[in-house]
Amino acid sequence: MKSFPLINPIAALGFFLVSLLGTALPCLAADPSGMAAPSDSAVAADPHSVLGVQTCVKCHASEVEVWKKTPHSQTFEQLHRRPEAREIAAKLNVSSIKYDGRCVACHYTQQADPAAGNQVSAISGVSCESCHGAAKDWLDIHHDYGGSQATRESESPAHRQQRLENSIANGMRNPHNLYRMAQSCYRCHTVGDEELVNVGGHTAGSLDFEMVTWSQGLVRHNFVRSNGKSNEASTKQRLRVMFVAGLIADLESSLRAVASATVKDTFGVTVAKRADRAAKRLKSAQGKLNNRRLAEVLAVYGSIKLKLGNAGPLSAAADEIAQIGVQFASESDGSDLEAIDRYVPAPSKWK
């Protein structure tokens, strides 16, 4: 398998935030406009709408058993005990990792308890609703196959399509659209918290994160097609879509991070390099595919500058790229992406 060109994202901290042409840009105060999360971006699950793993396990027992063996689940008991996590917390004056918002947003699932005055607390690690969205508003839609006697097997294609659309409209990040799943992953595997990195010493995300490699190994839980019997690997066509969706989501999340940078330091430098790396990888893929949606993404990226004080345009570009990413994943079934097969990580590379 041929790899995309890599840029060392943490080397040369003297590197300044640059435009696509590599021109040095002045250090300006950050523009606070345009920073609100749009409807097409991934956000942390609302604790007041979280139902918990015990609700999901009723229909997805096999998936939950796989989850229990992953770092996503085990972080609930392990993260706050790790010396490196405690060191970061101390630098930020965080007294409880499980209660601090910046830690919880990516490492735990929180739930509000009505019996305790809606007090919010962490109930698990990274769980079902961390990735698929808080379930309160979409759960009943999700498991309604067309009436009390209907099953997944007997559901009509028209009803299934409507069910998917309605559940997504009510907050579900359904894997039917792989871009929405990629957004959920990159929301946390790209860190968008400047103080957490510059002061706390946290990394600016999982800098080697790639969608296929990280989702198809230990954390894979594809039991739906076999009715819970086997954890099936995705088809070659689906892996192609997943790979490209991940490239687009990497660029989107990196631009959001650059938009939040206010000073020339480790965070701003790293996320700017990550955005540029993501764009280069997309350009390499586009050279093989000549895909209309990738051309649109690259055009958006080419219209903005990676610089401080440019939060509004950067956030707007990320919003537009998110919309294009959703369109790409809804339109492509992977049969049109064969030209990038040598770039898609093979099973031997899956984590």
Side-chain angles (χ1 to χ4, degrees):
M1 182 195 77
K2 185 174 180 179
S3 298
F4 279 108
L6 290 175
I7 299 173
N8 184 345
I10 56 175
L13 293 183
F15 171 82
F16 203 48
L17 296 179
V18 296
S19 71
L20 285 175
L21 298 178
T23 305
L25 298 163
C27 181
L28 303 173
D31 174 7
S33 65
M35 296 302 293
S39 59
D40 266 330
S41 69
V43 296
D46 178 2
H48 299 276
S49 296
V50 166
L51 300 181
V53 173
Q54 71 278 4
T55 299
C56 304
V57 75
K58 296 173 184 177
C59 295
H60 298 287
S62 297
E63 289 88 339
V64 170
E65 283 304 308
V66 168
W67 167 75
K68 288 179 180 178
K69 300 172 184 176
T70 68
H72 282 168
S73 170
Q74 294 164 2
T75 188
F76 185 73
E77 298 293 343
Q78 297 176 359
L79 179 66
H80 58 288
R81 295 188 172 96
R82 293 175 185 162
E84 60 268 35
R86 291 182 175 182
E87 182 178 349
I88 292 171
K91 290 178 180 178
L92 295 169
N93 295 316
V94 171
S95 58
S96 174
I97 292 174
K98 281 190 175 181
Y99 281 91
D100 183 76
R102 68 191 351 149
C103 302
V104 169
C106 282
H107 292 292
Y108 301 101
T109 305
Q110 284 189 313
Q111 185 180 51
D113 183 2
N118 282 323
Q119 180 177 341
V120 173
S121 61
I123 59 170
S124 63
V126 180
S127 65
C128 313
E129 290 165 281
S130 303
C131 302
H132 296 290
K136 180 181 178 181
D137 294 334
W138 55 257
L139 181 66
D140 289 342
I141 301 169
H142 174 56
H143 61 62
D144 175 8
Y145 301 114
S148 59
Q149 301 302 313
T151 64
R152 183 185 292 115
E153 292 74 21
S154 67
E155 183 180 26
S156 70
H159 187 275
R160 179 177 184 274
Q161 182 61 34
Q162 190 62 55
R163 176 169 61 87
L164 289 171
E165 291 176 3
N166 289 344
S167 60
I168 290 171
N170 281 275
M172 184 182 189
R173 306 194 73 80
N174 193 296
H176 179 68
N177 188 294
L178 285 169
Y179 190 75
R180 295 188 186 279
M181 294 313 303
Q183 285 180 305
S184 290
C185 297
Y186 277 96
R187 180 182 71 83
C188 287
H189 285 285
T190 303
V191 172
D193 186 328
E194 184 174 46
E195 185 183 30
L196 181 61
V197 175
N198 291 347
V199 178
H202 196 290
T203 63
S206 306
L207 301 178
D208 61 341
F209 185 87
E210 185 280 315
M211 191 65 187
V212 173
T213 303
W214 285 55
S215 71
Q216 296 305 293
L218 182 64
V219 304
R220 189 182 76 224
H221 47 279
N222 293 341
F223 289 93
V224 172
R225 290 188 294 273
S226 66
N227 200 25
K229 296 177 181 178
S230 62
N231 191 358
E232 298 180 356
S234 294
T235 65
K236 181 178 291 187
Q237 290 78 11
R238 186 169 173 82
L239 290 174
R240 293 168 183 162
V241 178
M242 188 183 302
F243 178 72
V244 177
L247 296 180
I248 301 173
D250 190 5
L251 180 58
E252 178 207 336
S253 63
S254 296
L255 290 179
R256 295 195 191 284
V258 176
S260 68
T262 64
V263 294
K264 174 190 172 183
D265 207 335
T266 305
F267 173 76
V269 169
T270 304
V271 295
K273 285 190 172 186
R274 183 167 183 165
D276 191 54
R277 181 186 69 176
K280 284 182 167 67
R281 289 176 167 177
L282 278 168
K283 188 174 181 179
S284 294
Q286 176 65 345
K288 299 292 183 182
L289 296 172
N290 192 27
N291 180 277
R292 177 166 67 102
R293 296 304 182 192
L294 294 194
E296 292 173 355
V297 169
L298 290 169
V300 172
Y301 182 70
S303 70
I304 49 96
K305 294 181 178 180
L306 299 180
K307 65 177 183 177
L308 298 175
N310 199 32
L314 286 166
S315 296
D319 293 350
E320 190 172 353
I321 287 171
Q323 293 170 3
I324 298 169
V326 171
Q327 290 174 321
F328 164 80
S330 67
E331 294 168 354
S332 177
D333 63 1
S335 62
D336 56 333
L337 307 177
E338 183 178 0
I340 60 163
D341 277 352
R342 63 176 178 166
Y343 291 139
V344 179
S348 61
K349 302 291 185 180
W350 298 350
K351 292 181 178 290

